[in-house]
Amino acid sequence: MSRRFARALPFLFASLAFATITHATEAEHVRASAAWIRVLPGDLPAGGYVMLENTGDQNATLRDARSTRYASVMLHKSSSDGGVSRMAIVDDMPIPAHGKAELSPGGYHLMLMKPAAPVKVGDKVTLTLTFGDGSTLDTEFVARPANATGFGD
Amino acid sequence: MLAIGVLLAGCHRDDEPQWQLSDISGHMPDLDFHLVDDHGKNVTAQDYRGKVVLLYFGYTHCPDVCPLTLAQLHVVMQRLGPLADGARILFVSVDPARDTPDVMHAYVNAFDPRAVGLTGSPREIEALSKRYRSAFTREPDRADGQYEVSHSSAIYIFDGNGKARLLNTTSQSQDNLVHDLHLLLSLGSKS
């Protein structure tokens, strides 16, 4: 490593720190749309779905979600390998820079459990999405019937 | 109606129906079970003779794949129109510990009026699952005491005589399923 590079290091760190301070949060670059919840009878867990678009130059990740309407919200992923359907808890879902990622039936989804009060079809439920850098985005989800196949069918 | 005409014409010409799903005729045993329906009544496969049966294994605490499959089957039934009255969706619980007939009743009726929820003893459910080389596994409990059940994603289709006819897997489209059910239900109504 050259001496000149070593001398430049403090400046490099200073500019990195500056970049961190001025860099917009992930939430500021993520747009949420077509957000809906599949309501199931009784107190059965419901699925939450949303399209996320990252308009930023950096990759983002959806890490978590919470809501005052449900005591527990978890990020899950369904898979079907060898004819067997499985569901697993996942740590996060990547949202590529200038790309989209979707929580959709049969793939990534939010598992919404223990509603404080019954959620009815037509209700608007606010979920706070948390991203990799800790930034958050409040998103309104519309409650749809059990036999809905998407946001607007 | 034109599509039906074309389908039937195709049958007459080839004599053998041109299935789009996997043809399992002769490769799987006839429908046979002793379970409890979502009214709490003991039922056997005989109770569904005369109906085309769509058999699907799942559980009500499954928030994603099971509702998706049942919602898709509801769309399929709607697309079949009046013919759908000749079919029944049998949703068999692989989680009888939590899926009582009452829970199953509310669940299946949220999807389609032609869906029936079946539960029963773990032994009977396992016997039915094994009969169709299907499998399910209760996954370890989570911290909150809840658990998931991994299960087959296939839909087994039986004719009105309880004969195994077709297998619908996730790789097949809804159009394939509608096509074949149309054919199977039309054949049934002619004989």
Side-chain angles (χ1 to χ4, degrees), chain A residues 84-100:
Chain A
V84 178
S85 297
R86 285 193 178 81
M87 200 165 82
I89 296 172
V90 290
D91 292 333
D92 51 47
M93 178 182 75
I95 316 163
H98 299 289
K100 289 177 180 179

Side-chain angles (χ1 to χ4, degrees), chain A residues 5-95:
Chain A
F5 183 71
R7 237 184 277 143
L9 272 177
F11 297 100
L12 193 63
F13 282 128
S15 57
L16 269 177
F18 182 69
T20 309
I21 292 162
T22 57
H23 193 273
T25 64
E26 292 183 23
E28 284 171 299
H29 283 300
V30 174
R31 287 186 197 145
S33 61
W36 65 287
I37 291 169
R38 184 196 300 285
V39 177
L40 294 168
D43 56 359
L44 291 172
Y49 308 102
V50 61
M51 170 64 84
L52 297 174
E53 184 178 2
N54 181 2
T55 60
D57 299 326
Q58 309 291 323
N59 293 334
T61 55
L62 174 67
R63 210 174 59 192
D64 209 355
R66 60 178 191 275
S67 172
T68 54
R69 298 285 296 270
Y70 293 92
S72 167
V73 180
M74 286 193 281
L75 181 60
H76 277 231
K77 190 183 182 187
S78 298
S79 63
S80 184
D81 295 316
V84 178
S85 297
R86 285 193 178 81
M87 200 165 82
I89 296 172
V90 290
D91 292 333
D92 51 47
M93 178 182 75
I95 316 163

Side-chain angles (χ1 to χ4, degrees), chain A residues 38 40-41 44-47 49 74 76 78 80 83-87 89 104-107 109 111 113-114 146-149, chain B residues 59-65 67-68 71-72 74-75 103 106-107 110-112 139 142 144 148-154 170:
Chain A
R38 184 196 300 285
L40 294 168
L44 291 172
Y49 308 102
M74 286 193 281
H76 277 231
S78 298
S80 184
V84 178
S85 297
R86 285 193 178 81
M87 200 165 82
I89 296 172
S104 64
H109 59 276
M111 184 164 172
M113 284 164 293
K114 303 186 189 110
N147 59 9
T149 52
Chain B
Y59 63 110
T60 68
H61 279 73
C62 158
D64 187 47
V65 170
L68 171 64
Q72 287 171 338
H74 169 64
V75 174
V103 171
Y107 192 79
F111 292 95
D112 193 275
E139 303 295 345
R142 292 194 308 256
D144 61 4
E148 307 304 334
V149 187
S150 300
H151 56 94
S152 169
S153 51
T170 48

Side-chain angles (χ1 to χ4, degrees), chain B:
Chain B
M1 282 321 280
L2 181 67
I4 302 168
V6 170
L7 281 179
L8 292 178
C11 296
H12 289 311
R13 193 168 56 242
D14 299 325
D15 229 30
E16 278 294 309
Q18 298 297 304
W19 304 114
Q20 294 181 356
L21 304 177
S22 308
D23 186 353
I24 55 167
S25 298
H27 298 286
M28 289 269 184
D30 294 358
L31 190 61
D32 186 20
F33 59 78
H34 294 81
L35 294 169
V36 180
D37 75 6
D38 58 85
H39 294 283
K41 194 175 138 228
N42 289 314
V43 289
T44 72
Q46 289 295 332
D47 293 308
Y48 303 95
R49 292 290 190 263
K51 300 290 183 192
V52 165
V53 165
L54 288 76
L55 180 71
Y56 175 62
F57 296 94
Y59 63 110
T60 68
H61 279 73
C62 158
D64 187 47
V65 170
C66 306
L68 171 64
T69 304
L70 291 172
Q72 287 171 338
L73 288 180
H74 169 64
V75 174
V76 166
M77 296 298 252
Q78 281 184 316
R79 288 179 60 184
L80 288 169
L83 273 179
D85 293 335
R88 290 292 178 271
I89 300 163
L90 301 188
F91 178 67
V92 179
S93 173
V94 291
D95 184 19
R98 289 185 293 191
D99 288 340
T100 62
D102 280 350
V103 171
M104 292 291 274
H105 186 71
Y107 192 79
V108 295
N109 280 288
F111 292 95
D112 193 275
R114 288 140 307 198
V116 177
L118 298 177
T119 186
S121 72
R123 186 193 291 188
E124 293 285 3
I125 289 168
E126 204 177 323
L128 180 60
S129 173
K130 279 190 171 158
R131 189 172 173 82
Y132 298 104
R133 298 173 217 153
S134 170
F136 59 92
T137 312
R138 177 173 162 164
E139 303 295 345
D141 286 12
R142 292 194 308 256
D144 61 4
Q146 297 294 313
Y147 56 90
E148 307 304 334
V149 187
S150 300
H151 56 94
S152 169
S153 51
I155 299 162
Y156 300 82
I157 300 165
F158 300 83
D159 66 20
N161 297 318
K163 300 280 179 202
R165 299 295 293 269
L166 300 160
L167 183 68
N168 181 87
T169 61
T170 48
S171 62
Q172 280 140 343
S173 76
Q174 190 175 81
D175 287 348
N176 296 148
L177 182 55
V178 170
H179 171 275
D180 281 11
L181 285 174
H182 223 140
L183 211 50
L184 194 56
L185 287 160
S186 305
L187 292 174
S189 62
K190 281 192 298 181
S191 59

